[in-house]
Amino acid sequence: MRLRALLENDALGLRLLGGEDELDRSVRGVMTTDLRDPSRYLSGGELVLTGLAWRRDAADSEPFVRILAGAGVAGLAAGEAELGDIPGDLVEACAQHRLPLFAVNETVAFATVTEYVVRQVSGERAGDLAAVVDRHRRLMTSGPAGGGPEVVLDLLTSDLDLRAWVLSPTGRQIAGAGTPLPGPLGAALAGHHLAATRTGRRGPHRAAVSGTTYSLFPIRNTGRGAVPAARDVRESVLSDWLLAVEADASDWPAARLDLLQGVTQLIAVERDRRDAARTVRRRLAQEVLELVQAGAAPAEIAARLRVAAPVLLPGLGVAPQWQVVVARVDWSAGGQTAGAGDIASGPVAQALLEEILVDPAVSGPDSADRIAVAHAGEEAIALVPLPTATTAASGSGESASDEAARADVEDADALDAEPGLHADALLSSVRKPLSAGLADDGRLTLGVSAAVHSAEGLRGALEEARHARRVAAARPGRVCAAGHHELASHVLLLPFVPDDVRRAFTARLLDPLRDYDRRHRAELIETLEAFLDCDGSWTRCAARLHLHVNTLRYRVGRIEQLTGRDLSRLEDKLDFFLALRMS
């Protein structure tokens, strides 16, 4: 039954005090308690009835409600017999944790509410119980051990006529039945899921994309072997898988929702298997990283790399080149139960970097078998092997990630000259969904080193990747990356100029032009940018702006008059160039 059904029965004497947007939650049981911590007796989906005997002062309300919300209860009903009006601190705590709160009139016994809920829940489940049990049995016997998540999704299609896909937090398809989900659609669904999860709303989440409605179920293992729930949603939001179902689950009966929750638990077993398989690669990366940071002899590092190469490049049998990628996730304080300093960002960045480094065109849970990521403190550090040029040429063609890089890099010749990973290409397909998960209090920054050919170069590559990440961190935006090629450019210096110096420098040069443009619509700033882009060529700049050369000369003269600079001098050109870059 739904929570809103409680308000439709006047005999129950319930009054809603908060949580109007959550009344479509399913109620799967009822529990009466006055314990300060009843979590051991909760399994999720209950309507909790309480007489408030646990409350001694206002400070007791938030911990009690937090425990209930963490256990996944459907709602809280507080009796008025003990204290009269429901305390405001309890109302505030329920609003903070998005837990619907009802007041039970002192004339109504809890037994009356309990009897009504039990009768409704039992009646709704009776008709479908046999079918649910049978489907669960089939799912358990045909689950991950018998063919992977695809078998489970096939059963959803054949039994319930539901098309479903398992997606990573970036929207990459991990499993699906039938037609693959297009990449942009997967990214859009992942973005909806991450945004809804960050608001604290319980799944499934409803998303409408291109006229089609999808229900998005978080995939978390809640069985006996489950790890404790994260204290803060930010610890898991960027690493959890999701189940996307092409249907609107908002009006589903509880039995069907139970079945889909069971499916997510089965898929969570597959996730655990995948994570266990990554343990060896993570350990190899950690060992190499520790040697590099400790200043070990190159011969010792090379020996460890020879052990790692067959695991990371199975079947190639060649000595690869290596790149280092460094990522960091930072959270600002506020907005959650735990402060930003309480979040272990290293493991978050590790799981996220493992996902980012997977070729977006490759599906399946085992597509990351050449990725080794360790974490040190708040950083995640990836050791990425690259086949030699000869080996790469003997392959079947250019990979999807190479094509993505080519699309994002203007100079294709430069791309061909630099094999391996490119910073912008890594984030091109994942920036939107990850930005939704980072919301307004998180940042992902990433740095990529150049390729190195031996163990001697790894220490330098690590420092290079770390420095590139710091350059990315100085840029605006939720998801930023920088590559090694940017470390030999003026862009390395600009992010570290103090803000007050930036503002003074740009204001002195550009504010007179902006003021003139506002008054006369003269487009002097646009003209200046084009003139510098054309290396001071009058004819090329005039052609780009569709102006007569004499008109261009007039505009440039006006720029020089307003600023007191001479655009025929290299020093003044350089000052204007830097001012435009910093503005």
Side-chain angles (χ1 to χ4, degrees):
M1 64 171 289
R2 303 289 180 180
L3 273 178
R4 65 175 66 255
L6 297 171
L7 298 174
E8 297 168 358
N9 189 333
D10 295 336
L12 297 180
L14 296 181
R15 189 173 77 258
L16 183 65
L17 300 182
E20 295 87 348
D21 297 337
E22 304 291 334
L23 291 179
D24 284 325
R25 292 187 182 186
S26 295
V27 180
R28 299 187 178 92
V30 63
M31 175 189 177
T32 300
T33 184
D34 277 314
L35 294 174
R36 297 167 68 87
D37 181 1
S39 58
R40 74 186 71 177
Y41 304 110
L42 297 170
S43 58
E46 297 92 351
L47 173 68
V48 174
L49 303 173
T50 181
L52 301 179
W54 49 266
R55 182 184 179 277
R56 296 184 179 87
D57 55 46
D60 292 336
S61 292
E62 195 280 332
F64 179 77
V65 173
R66 185 184 344 123
I67 289 169
L68 298 187
V73 306
L76 174 64
E80 295 178 324
E82 182 75 18
L83 301 177
D85 291 339
I86 304 303
D89 48 86
L90 181 60
V91 176
E92 182 180 346
C94 288
Q96 176 185 345
H97 291 280
R98 305 180 68 90
L99 184 66
L101 175 63
F102 301 86
V104 184
N105 191 280
E106 61 181 357
T107 62
V108 178
F110 282 177
T112 302
V113 180
T114 299
E115 181 182 353
Y116 175 79
V117 172
V118 170
R119 186 169 61 248
Q120 292 296 316
V121 171
S122 299
E124 289 181 0
R125 289 187 172 182
D128 293 326
L129 184 57
V132 171
V133 170
D134 178 62
R135 288 191 181 108
H136 269 290
R137 184 181 299 112
R138 292 172 60 193
L139 289 173
M140 290 301 293
T141 57
S142 303
E150 286 82 1
V151 174
V152 180
L153 301 183
D154 283 338
L155 279 176
L156 285 181
T157 302
S158 61
D159 281 27
L160 301 179
D161 195 26
L162 293 175
R163 299 176 66 212
W165 302 265
V166 178
L167 304 178
S168 77
T170 65
R172 181 178 62 88
Q173 180 174 318
I174 293 167
T179 307
L181 202 64
L185 177 55
L189 292 177
H192 279 288
H193 174 74
L194 291 171
T197 301
R198 285 303 313 275
T199 65
R201 299 206 307 271
R202 291 161 54 96
H205 308 302
R206 184 179 182 275
V209 180
S210 302
T212 303
T213 300
Y214 299 85
S215 294
L216 311 175
F217 294 79
I219 295 176
R220 302 188 186 101
N221 188 359
T222 57
R224 289 184 178 178
V227 297
R231 296 172 301 160
D232 190 307
V233 68
R234 292 174 290 185
E235 292 183 355
S236 60
V237 65
L238 297 177
S239 58
D240 284 344
W241 289 357
L242 67 136
L243 176 67
V245 181
E246 190 179 305
D248 188 349
S250 60
D251 58 351
W252 281 4
R256 177 167 288 201
L257 287 172
D258 282 345
L259 180 60
L260 265 294
Q261 295 296 345
V263 169
T264 64
Q265 291 177 25
L266 288 169
I267 297 172
V269 175
E270 174 68 18
R271 173 65 185 270
D272 291 343
R273 185 199 66 77
R274 193 287 308 261
D275 286 344
R278 282 189 172 179
T279 301
V280 173
R281 294 189 292 277
R282 287 175 173 176
R283 186 181 301 120
L284 286 171
Q286 194 73 43
E287 291 174 353
V288 174
L289 174 64
E290 289 173 357
L291 289 174
V292 170
Q293 291 184 313
E300 186 178 358
I301 299 174
R304 195 61 54 93
L305 287 176
R306 283 194 294 272
V307 174
V311 177
L312 301 177
L313 288 172
L316 292 184
V318 295
Q321 304 173 69
W322 302 91
Q323 273 183 288
V324 176
V325 182
V326 174
R328 178 169 174 145
V329 176
D330 291 292
W331 303 100
S332 58
Q336 298 288 339
T337 301
D342 298 323
I343 301 173
S345 295
V348 175
Q350 181 182 40
L352 189 56
L353 187 53
E354 286 173 334
E355 172 61 28
I356 290 172
L357 291 175
V358 177
D359 189 328
V362 178
S363 64
D366 296 320
S367 54
D369 61 354
R370 294 182 182 176
I371 296 168
V373 183
H375 73 83
E378 301 302 300
E379 286 182 335
I381 302 169
L383 185 65
V384 182
L386 303 175
T388 60
T390 304
T391 305
S394 65
S396 58
E398 195 172 51
S399 72
S401 57
D402 291 335
E403 292 174 359
R406 189 176 301 280
D408 283 351
V409 177
E410 292 182 3
D411 189 352
D413 293 335
L415 182 62
D416 289 334
E418 296 184 20
L421 303 174
H422 297 264
D424 287 338
L426 284 176
L427 297 179
S428 60
S429 62
V430 302
R431 183 173 272 109
K432 287 185 177 180
L434 292 183
S435 295
L438 292 163
D440 58 357
D441 60 350
R443 291 198 76 210
L444 167 66
T445 51
L446 185 145
V448 182
S449 79
V452 295
H453 302 268
S454 65
E456 288 89 343
L458 278 181
R459 186 176 181 84
L462 175 58
E463 291 306 315
E464 189 174 58
R466 281 176 165 161
H467 205 76
R469 192 207 63 78
R470 288 193 288 271
V471 170
R475 296 172 174 169
R478 290 290 161 200
V479 180
C480 298
H484 62 92
H485 59 282
E486 298 180 61
L487 303 185
S489 168
H490 63 277
V491 298
L492 171 62
L493 304 176
L494 296 186
F496 301 102
V497 177
D499 289 343
D500 55 344
V501 176
R502 281 170 172 264
R503 285 191 292 268
F505 182 73
T506 58
R508 191 177 304 118
L509 281 174
L510 302 182
D511 278 3
L513 307 183
R514 290 175 177 140
D515 292 341
Y516 192 86
D517 281 347
R518 278 194 294 269
R519 294 196 307 270
H520 303 285
R521 298 181 180 179
E523 300 180 350
L524 295 185
I525 291 289
E526 179 184 354
T527 302
L528 176 61
E529 290 176 335
F531 188 73
L532 295 175
D533 284 345
C534 293
D535 298 324
S537 169
W538 296 98
T539 54
R540 282 195 289 129
C541 183
R544 175 183 292 192
L545 295 175
H546 306 290
L547 298 175
H548 192 279
V549 172
N550 289 340
T551 304
L552 175 62
R553 290 185 184 278
Y554 171 80
R555 288 188 182 181
V556 170
R558 178 65 68 184
I559 292 171
E560 293 174 334
Q561 178 186 7
L562 291 170
T563 61
R565 299 299 185 104
D566 182 356
L567 278 168
S568 66
R569 298 179 66 248
L570 176 62
E571 293 87 346
D572 289 342
K573 287 181 182 178
L574 181 59
D575 284 347
F576 277 123
F577 176 80
L578 293 175
L580 289 169
R581 281 299 184 98
M582 287 192 291
S583 64

